[in-house]
């Protein structure tokens, strides 16, 4: 065990949530192996405090920070300088302290490049076929262009996002190498191309949705040379299995994660980490992931003493914050129905309300619950959208999933919490007395449904999360 003393340099991670991140394992092991006096810790930072966190870290002489979801863009206005590649990618995941403030870098793209190098995945002169156009895909697309791919073709459910990444790559590389297409065009593309490197960058297939895959079109896998899935939990995703079944090499994203960390570490400490040191740390990460998976698969025995928990309640009742706390402190896996539906639909809830209406959204909620019940999960805490228990069918589905706890908060407290919240479609534009009247009406209408759907009513007034937990 290394000594932490008066000269120890501090680095860390800012994001929310961060408690499950394995970055401390990467950096503290690198520091130990390189013989450097550095310690790395996770800092959970709320979205409205990103600026304060960066300024505070500067004031505390923190040497460097990693930045993760959801702050990779939000952090940018608070930096003194931004590396041109990170500027072009439009996201920063590494901050290096300089005279007068932090400089931002993107090492995700370096992580992907080094993963390819590590496994001998050759991109030069090849087609890189990317599935997905989220934040991580941006870095991967830049990396593919940088590694000399003759074409970077990005397919995404939301085509505009794919086109946007392609534009950014073309502008930066001053070439027309990239293009963004709709997922519906994937089959016809794959039919007439062969030998491409297939890269899966969506969140589809991520634990616990391990049986899902972004596409199961045979031709896509038949014509690929090999593939990389940037997801690293599970170890072998369905996407990877579809390639391996065809005798093709497929790699997960753990090595990318390692090397983005290695690249950050090198920037902070002005050192070069050798491949053998990186491989040692990779083995540690693999063992840790194995240990976590064992924990997850033991969830049925370890965590099922309380089975699944379902948190219901009015908007602002604390379902999400208590859910995060349970995930961070009591070993539950948090699923948030609103977030899951947004992911599935690729749209924000307020946009679903605006275009399809509330009834269509309630249908999506019912469908989501039916699928969730089929998956026989345990050890889950489900944070439920405020209006979900309105439907009788949903109330029954929630009860069959787990113990339903209605988090009850008084209207005055809810008004206080909701006053500054602009993300709730049913509260749009309401403030002050109007907001209070609206909340009271809505509560009056829903209270009987919450009560009907609950196995337990938990009065949250004045209770800490620990005290709430003890009452469950
Ligand atoms: P993100 O910005 O939220 O993007 C998610 C992507 O997945 C988007 O392209 C989205 O399509 C697509 N998607 C999500 N659900 C979908 C569905 N049901 N059907 C079709 N497409 C769907 O996420 P991100 O930050 O890019 O992260 C993506 C994944 O990469 C995560 O699993 C993350 O853990 C992993 N990751 C790994 C590393 C690493 O170092 N290995 C680094 C970063 C991220 P739309 O655009 O249409 O919504």
């Amino acid at each position: 065990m290394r000594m932490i003393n008066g000269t120890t340099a501090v680095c860390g991670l800012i994001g929310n949530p961060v408690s499950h991140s394995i970055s401390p394992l990467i950096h503290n092991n690198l520091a130990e192996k390189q013989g450097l006096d550095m310690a790395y810790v996770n800092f959970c930072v709320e979205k409205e405090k990103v600026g304060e966190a960066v300024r505070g870290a500067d004031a505390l002489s923190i040497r460097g920070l990693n930045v993760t979801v959801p702050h990779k863009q939000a952090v940018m206005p608070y930096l003194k300088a931004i590396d041109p590649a990170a500027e072009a990618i439009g996201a920063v995941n590494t901050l290096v302290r300089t005279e007068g403030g932090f400089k931002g870098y993107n090492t995700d793209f370096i992580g992907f490049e080094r993963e390819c190098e590590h496994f001998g995945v050759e991109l030069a002169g090849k087609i890189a076929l990317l599935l997905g156009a989220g934040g991580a895909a941006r870095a991967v697309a830049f990396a593919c262009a940088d590694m000399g791919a003759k074409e970077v073709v990005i397919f995404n459910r939301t085509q505009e996002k794919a086109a946007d990444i392609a534009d950014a790559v073309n502008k930066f590389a001053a070439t027309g190498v990239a293009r963004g297409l709709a997922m519906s065009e994937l089959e016809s593309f794959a039919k007439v191309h062969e030998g491409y490197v297939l890269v899966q960058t969506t969140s589809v297939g991520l634990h616990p949705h391990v049986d899902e895959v972004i596409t199961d079109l045979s031709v896509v896998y038949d014509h690929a040379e090999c593939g990389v899935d940037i997801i690293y939990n599970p170890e072998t995703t369905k996407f990877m299995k579809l390639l391996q079944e065809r005798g093709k090499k497929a790699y997960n994203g753990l090595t990318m994660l390692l090397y983005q960390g290695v690249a950050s570490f090198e920037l902070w400490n002005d050192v070069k980490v050798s491949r053998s040191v990186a491989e040692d740390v990779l083995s540690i990460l693999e063992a840790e992931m194995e240990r976590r998976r064992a924990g997850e698969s033991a969830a049925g025995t370890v965590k099922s003493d309380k089975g699944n928990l379902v948190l219901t309640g009015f908007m602002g009742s604390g379902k999400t914050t208590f859910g995060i706390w349970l995930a961070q402190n009591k070993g539950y896996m948090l699923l948030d129905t609103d977030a899951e539906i947004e992911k599935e639909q690729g749209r924000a809830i307020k946009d679903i309300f605006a275009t399809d209406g509330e009834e269509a959204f309630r249908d999506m909620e019912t469908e989501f619950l039916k699928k969730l019940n089929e998956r026989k999960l345990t050890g889950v805490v489900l944070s439920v959208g405020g209006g979900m228990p309105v439907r009788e069918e949903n109330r029954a589905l929630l009860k069959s999933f787990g113990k339903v706890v209605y988090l009850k908060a008084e209207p005055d407290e809810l008004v206080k919490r909701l006053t500054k919240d602009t993300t709730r479609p049913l509260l749009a534009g309401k403030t002050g007395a109007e907001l209070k009247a609206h909340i009271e009406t809505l509560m009056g209408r829903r209270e009987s449904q919450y009560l009907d759907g609950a196995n337990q009513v938990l009065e949250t007034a004045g209770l800490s999360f620990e005290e709430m937990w003890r009452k469950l």
Side-chain angles (χ1 to χ4, degrees):
M1 175 90 176
R2 276 177 311 129
M3 286 296 293
I4 291 181
N5 56 46
T7 58
T8 305
V10 177
C11 290
L13 170 72
I14 58 171
N16 188 7
V18 289
S19 64
H20 285 78
S21 164
I22 56 174
S23 288
L25 209 57
I26 299 178
H27 293 286
N28 290 318
N29 278 291
L30 284 173
E32 181 158 336
K33 287 179 189 305
Q34 296 285 132
L36 289 171
D37 186 17
M38 185 199 111
Y40 185 101
V41 282
N42 289 343
F43 300 106
C44 186
V45 173
E46 302 289 339
K47 66 171 186 279
E48 48 295 323
K49 297 208 170 146
V50 171
E52 278 174 63
V54 174
R55 278 190 292 270
D58 187 32
L60 291 169
S61 301
I62 285 183
R63 179 178 288 178
L65 289 170
N66 280 134
V67 185
T68 189
V69 177
H71 304 325
K72 286 186 184 183
Q73 275 102 35
V75 84
M76 293 172 83
Y78 304 103
L79 304 180
K80 189 186 166 229
I82 298 178
D83 174 65
E87 185 87 61
I89 292 168
V92 152
N93 79 322
T94 302
L95 310 187
V96 179
R97 191 162 182 275
T98 63
E99 195 67 45
F102 282 100
K103 179 169 179 184
Y105 294 83
N106 187 306
T107 66
D108 283 331
F109 94 96
I110 301 173
F112 184 75
E113 288 194 4
R114 292 212 196 161
E115 160 148 14
C116 290
E117 199 182 300
H118 183 100
F119 290 118
V121 175
E122 196 56 65
L123 262 302
K126 305 245 178 77
I127 297 174
L129 196 165
L130 269 57
L131 304 173
R138 290 188 83 85
V140 171
F142 272 76
C144 292
D146 189 52
M147 285 185 284
K150 71 173 180 194
E151 273 193 82
V152 180
V153 192
I154 308 156
F155 292 88
N156 195 42
R157 174 177 62 178
T158 314
Q159 198 222 330
E160 303 80 69
K161 283 162 78 178
D164 186 54
I165 296 180
D167 284 350
V169 170
N170 290 336
K171 211 159 115 199
F172 188 68
T175 64
V177 77
R179 57 194 162 123
L181 301 175
M183 206 49 104
S184 54
E185 296 171 88
L186 177 60
E187 186 170 16
S188 52
F189 182 93
K191 273 184 179 159
V192 296
H193 292 86
E194 249 180 294
Y196 44 78
V197 176
L198 193 55
V199 190
Q200 198 308 108
T201 75
T202 75
S203 43
V204 180
L206 187 64
H207 178 85
H209 307 275
V210 297
D211 296 324
E212 294 177 11
V213 64
I214 184 68
T215 176
D216 51 15
L217 286 168
S218 284
V219 66
V220 173
Y221 303 94
D222 290 342
H223 286 181
E225 180 189 278
C226 62
V228 180
D229 193 332
I230 69 164
I231 289 176
Y232 51 87
N233 189 16
E235 185 179 16
T236 309
T237 60
K238 174 96 182 278
F239 167 87
M240 291 168 64
K241 285 181 189 157
L242 288 169
L243 285 161
Q244 288 167 352
E245 280 163 9
R246 290 163 170 81
K248 303 184 182 195
K249 296 256 195 270
Y251 310 98
N252 72 27
L254 193 63
T255 315
M256 171 178 170
L257 182 80
L258 165 76
Y259 280 113
Q260 63 75 34
V262 167
S264 303
F265 184 89
E266 290 176 340
L267 282 168
W268 296 328
N269 297 298
D270 198 19
V271 291
K272 181 89 189 109
V273 173
S274 69
R275 180 165 174 144
S276 74
V277 167
E279 280 175 352
D280 284 352
V281 177
L282 184 59
S283 307
I284 293 169
L285 295 186
E286 282 164 348
E288 170 64 11
M289 292 309 295
E290 189 53 47
R291 195 188 63 74
R292 290 187 185 191
R293 275 189 287 272
E296 277 158 7
S297 59
T301 51
V302 176
K303 298 168 190 158
S304 66
D305 53 332
K306 284 196 182 285
N308 293 326
L309 280 176
V310 178
L311 304 180
T312 68
F314 194 69
M315 293 177 245
S317 62
K319 294 165 302 203
T320 307
T321 45
F322 186 42
I324 291 173
W325 185 88
L326 287 169
Q328 292 180 340
N329 296 284
K330 300 295 171 192
Y332 281 86
M333 184 179 77
L334 175 64
L335 285 180
D336 180 295
T337 62
D338 284 351
E340 293 292 314
I341 292 169
E342 283 189 335
K343 247 194 280 169
E344 244 176 52
Q345 295 291 319
R347 295 181 282 167
I349 287 174
K350 62 179 178 192
D351 297 332
I352 300 175
F353 267 67
T355 50
D356 301 10
E358 181 172 353
E359 210 41 36
F361 177 68
R362 301 285 166 229
D363 288 341
M364 291 171 198
E365 289 184 319
T366 306
E367 265 321 290
F368 171 80
L369 287 182
K370 284 183 184 163
K371 279 196 259 157
L372 189 67
N373 268 300
E374 281 164 18
R375 290 182 28 222
K376 310 277 176 241
L377 298 171
T378 55
V380 170
V381 57
L382 186 70
S383 167
V384 165
M388 196 182 251
V390 168
R391 278 196 184 172
E392 195 177 348
E393 186 181 9
N394 289 355
R395 297 200 286 276
L397 286 164
L398 290 171
K399 273 189 175 162
S400 80
F401 183 70
K403 175 178 171 181
V404 182
V405 183
Y406 166 32
L407 300 183
K408 195 164 162 24
E410 291 310 311
D412 279 340
E413 176 61 23
L414 291 175
V415 170
K416 215 162 49 186
R417 293 183 203 166
L418 291 168
T419 297
K420 288 188 186 151
D421 195 331
T422 55
T423 63
R424 316 265 182 179
L426 291 178
L427 298 183
K430 297 185 176 62
T431 53
E434 194 194 1
L435 174 62
K436 182 166 181 185
H438 180 74
I439 288 172
E440 281 172 348
T441 314
L442 211 49
M443 273 194 85
R445 232 179 21 224
R446 286 184 180 170
E447 172 97 300
S448 59
Q449 293 153 340
Y450 285 150
L451 292 172
D452 178 58
N455 300 106
Q456 180 183 353
V457 179
L458 183 56
E459 300 272 357
T460 59
L463 294 186
S464 67
F465 287 154
E466 186 65 44
E467 287 163 336
M468 284 162 65
W469 157 252
R470 275 192 238 118
K471 285 179 181 283
L472 293 179

